[in-house]
Amino acid sequence: MMPPKGRERGQSLRPDILSNLPHNVIDIILIHLPCKDAVRTSVLSKKWRYHWCRRTELTLDESLWKTREDLLNPTVRFREIIYQLLTLHDGPITKFTLNIVHLKRCPEIDNFIFFLRNHIQDLVLHLPFGKRFTLSSILFTCSQLRHLNLHSCSIYHPSAFEGFDKLISLELCGVSTSSELLESLISHCPLLEQLVLSTTEDLDRIEINAPMLRLFSFTGDISSICLKNVPRLVEASLLGDIEQAESLDFAKIFESCSALEDLSLNFLNSEFVAEEGYEVPTRLPYNLNNVKQFYLPDILLVESYKLSYVLCLIRSFPYLEYLEMEVCDEDDSDTDEESTEESLQPETLSDLTFNHLGEVQLGSFIGRTSEMLFIKHLLANSPVLERLVINRQFLDEEPLDTREEIFTEISNFPRASPKAEIVYKDLS
């Protein structure tokens, strides 16, 4: 049976939707496709053929060359792909991501950076672990950079480097360089707003001079950091080990952080060692009046030096509104209960007040003596407290009578705030 003439005519005149899409719409579609799929769109129509070559954003990772049938060395395949991109691409590339962390060694990429240098604004290079590839000075000629993210490489900028005057975010993880060059690089980025540093190397003290900086995240030796000139910094995260308690000088670290609002501090599992007679300052020589939120994701209350440093900071945050603590699960077999009680005697906390604290979250709670003493002091010295949220995940593993005894004891603690509510939740 023949189809009606009207339907046949309508089908023959139906426009090719894909071929008639505007160029700007095709560009948006291609940007949101993985690079391999973007190349495959060449078969859709003549209008789409090689349109991917004008993509302004490219992401290269091992998914481009890793196949089950592929017998070539991955590094060889990578070189082939880079060569094809350089040959076929037409127009500027403003955003480029290279993720080759699983290659055994880093192929030559300096020529590709040279190709990108005049237009690149967002550059991400996650290079192979192991022996670090040394990026050439070509990187420092990318004058349009706004975002730079480098992992697992070495950088040494030339003495004539005048800076990245448009850079607003910088992330350096596992990047080998000297303290002097790192200081110089940061100070030559006048618009820098976000800075992420992660290093396992022993560096000399690094002074952060970034007057526009708003977010700072650091992983490494915390005592090596000095936030020298960061008047606009509002959020900071410090994570790392400390060997010598005397080397940690929070007064220098936070000396220009008058705008700081959120702080996360994680000492990891480092054991503080100090000379006999050393005492941690009870407070900073100044107050940080804008700090509203304080996060302690890994605090062992029985560690006297760690606890003393934490209390030093809390005393210097007079307008603190939110406190979150994840209490470490100490090994009872290695911990002397008597020393635990000594580290948290009432006189240790006697001058600790929370006049603006509205909410506290306490994680990994199991009802240790140190935890109960801290909660008792907290409730008695927080006149505007509204919620104390206690994570009961581990407490629920205790016998029922033990839990009921702990609940009853906490409920009987005096409360300075008539609105204070204690909430037990499993936050796992």
Side-chain angles (χ1 to χ4, degrees):
M1 180 177 178
M2 297 293 291
K5 291 184 178 181
R7 182 182 301 177
E8 182 180 8
R9 187 166 180 238
Q11 286 180 340
S12 64
L13 295 177
R14 198 172 94 184
D16 184 341
I17 296 176
L18 288 176
S19 295
N20 288 305
L21 286 175
H23 285 286
N24 63 325
V25 174
I26 296 177
D27 290 337
I28 293 173
I29 293 173
L30 291 175
I31 284 176
H32 288 85
L33 289 176
C35 191
K36 182 182 290 187
D37 293 335
V39 174
R40 288 170 175 163
T41 61
S42 294
V43 303
L44 294 177
S45 71
K46 290 183 179 180
K47 188 173 182 179
W48 283 73
R49 188 171 299 169
Y50 299 121
H51 199 103
W52 67 270
C53 296
R54 295 189 290 275
R55 277 175 44 139
T56 58
E57 300 181 9
L58 289 178
T59 297
L60 302 183
D61 57 32
E62 61 184 23
S63 67
L64 288 174
W65 61 83
K66 190 175 182 180
T67 65
R68 294 179 180 178
E69 297 78 19
D70 191 5
L71 300 179
L72 283 176
N73 183 291
T75 305
V76 175
R77 294 283 293 141
F78 174 81
R79 285 200 299 266
E80 289 182 356
I81 292 170
I82 290 290
Y83 177 76
Q84 290 174 3
L85 281 172
L86 290 174
T87 303
L88 296 175
H89 196 274
D90 179 25
I93 298 175
T94 58
K95 182 177 181 179
F96 178 70
T97 298
L98 175 64
N99 188 344
I100 52 173
V101 296
H102 296 300
L103 287 186
K104 291 184 177 180
R105 60 186 178 86
C106 186
E108 181 61 46
I109 62 173
D110 288 333
N111 288 339
F112 196 63
I113 296 176
F114 181 80
F115 174 79
L116 297 171
R117 74 191 190 286
N118 289 329
H119 302 284
I120 189 68
Q121 298 177 17
D122 190 333
L123 180 62
V124 179
L125 300 177
H126 291 183
L127 305 183
F129 301 122
K131 187 176 181 181
R132 291 173 179 151
F133 180 81
T134 300
L135 294 173
S136 79
S137 58
I138 296 172
L139 173 68
F140 297 96
T141 66
C142 300
S143 59
Q144 302 301 310
L145 273 176
R146 292 175 56 81
H147 307 276
L148 178 60
N149 185 319
L150 303 178
H151 283 213
S152 303
C153 60
S154 297
I155 56 172
Y156 299 96
H157 68 70
S159 56
F161 174 61
E162 296 182 357
F164 294 125
D165 58 3
K166 298 181 180 180
L167 197 72
I168 60 176
S169 73
L170 174 64
E171 179 172 322
L172 304 176
C173 296
V175 173
S176 179
T177 188
S178 67
S179 300
E180 293 78 14
L181 288 176
L182 186 56
E183 276 188 11
S184 176
L185 172 60
I186 295 170
S187 64
H188 282 79
C189 302
L191 300 182
L192 191 64
E193 295 180 2
Q194 298 184 28
L195 176 61
V196 177
L197 300 177
S198 178
T199 179
T200 57
E201 295 184 344
D202 292 329
L203 297 174
D204 297 329
R205 182 174 291 273
I206 305 168
E207 293 189 350
I208 307 297
N209 183 8
M212 302 298 289
L213 194 67
R214 295 184 59 81
L215 184 150
F216 176 62
S217 177
F218 178 79
T219 301
D221 181 0
I222 297 175
S223 63
S224 67
I225 289 296
C226 174
L227 296 168
K228 183 70 174 179
N229 181 24
V230 289
R232 299 192 180 192
L233 184 69
V234 295
E235 183 177 346
S237 173
L238 303 178
L239 185 153
D241 288 322
I242 302 294
E243 294 183 0
Q244 288 293 130
E246 300 97 328
S247 66
L248 185 58
D249 188 351
F250 279 137
K252 283 193 173 296
I253 291 177
F254 297 115
E255 65 179 335
S256 74
C257 297
S258 57
L260 186 64
E261 296 178 5
D262 296 356
L263 174 64
S264 177
L265 178 64
N266 191 341
F267 288 129
L268 294 176
N269 295 317
S270 56
E271 293 188 10
F272 284 32
V273 178
E275 295 182 1
E276 185 177 354
Y278 174 75
E279 293 185 3
V280 175
T282 57
R283 62 187 309 121
L284 300 180
Y286 47 81
N287 282 338
L288 291 173
N289 293 325
N290 284 312
V291 174
K292 301 295 189 295
Q293 302 187 66
F294 190 22
Y295 302 87
L296 296 162
D298 190 1
I299 180 69
L300 187 58
L301 293 178
V302 299
E303 291 286 345
S304 60
Y305 281 125
K306 288 184 182 179
L307 181 61
S308 295
Y309 274 115
V310 168
L311 298 182
C312 167
L313 290 178
I314 291 177
R315 292 186 186 99
S316 305
F317 303 158
Y319 295 96
L320 189 67
E321 296 177 358
Y322 178 84
L323 175 64
E324 184 173 322
M325 299 173 61
E326 188 74 24
V327 181
C328 291
D329 185 11
E330 69 229 39
D331 186 350
D332 291 333
S333 63
D334 296 331
T335 303
D336 182 0
E337 181 65 22
E338 183 180 353
S339 65
T340 302
E341 295 176 352
E342 289 179 355
S343 67
L344 279 177
Q345 289 297 313
E347 55 268 22
T348 305
L349 307 172
S350 60
D351 62 340
L352 196 66
T353 57
F354 306 93
N355 293 328
H356 297 269
L357 196 63
E359 182 172 346
V360 177
Q361 182 167 305
L362 185 62
S364 302
F365 177 81
I366 60 172
R368 304 177 185 92
T369 302
S370 56
E371 294 170 330
M372 299 296 282
L373 185 58
F374 183 81
I375 290 174
K376 182 178 182 179
H377 182 86
L378 179 73
L379 290 172
N381 292 274
S382 304
V384 297
L385 185 69
E386 295 184 1
R387 277 166 54 93
L388 169 59
V389 181
I390 297 177
N391 186 354
R392 59 181 297 165
Q393 176 187 359
F394 298 112
L395 183 62
D396 284 345
E397 299 175 3
E398 299 294 325
L400 178 59
D401 56 345
T402 301
R403 280 179 280 159
E404 290 180 345
E405 183 180 340
I406 291 172
F407 294 152
T408 300
E409 184 176 355
I410 292 177
S411 66
N412 289 329
F413 286 157
R415 306 182 193 185
S417 171
K419 296 182 179 180
E421 175 189 14
I422 300 175
V423 180
Y424 298 92
K425 285 187 177 180
D426 184 347
L427 300 176
S428 58

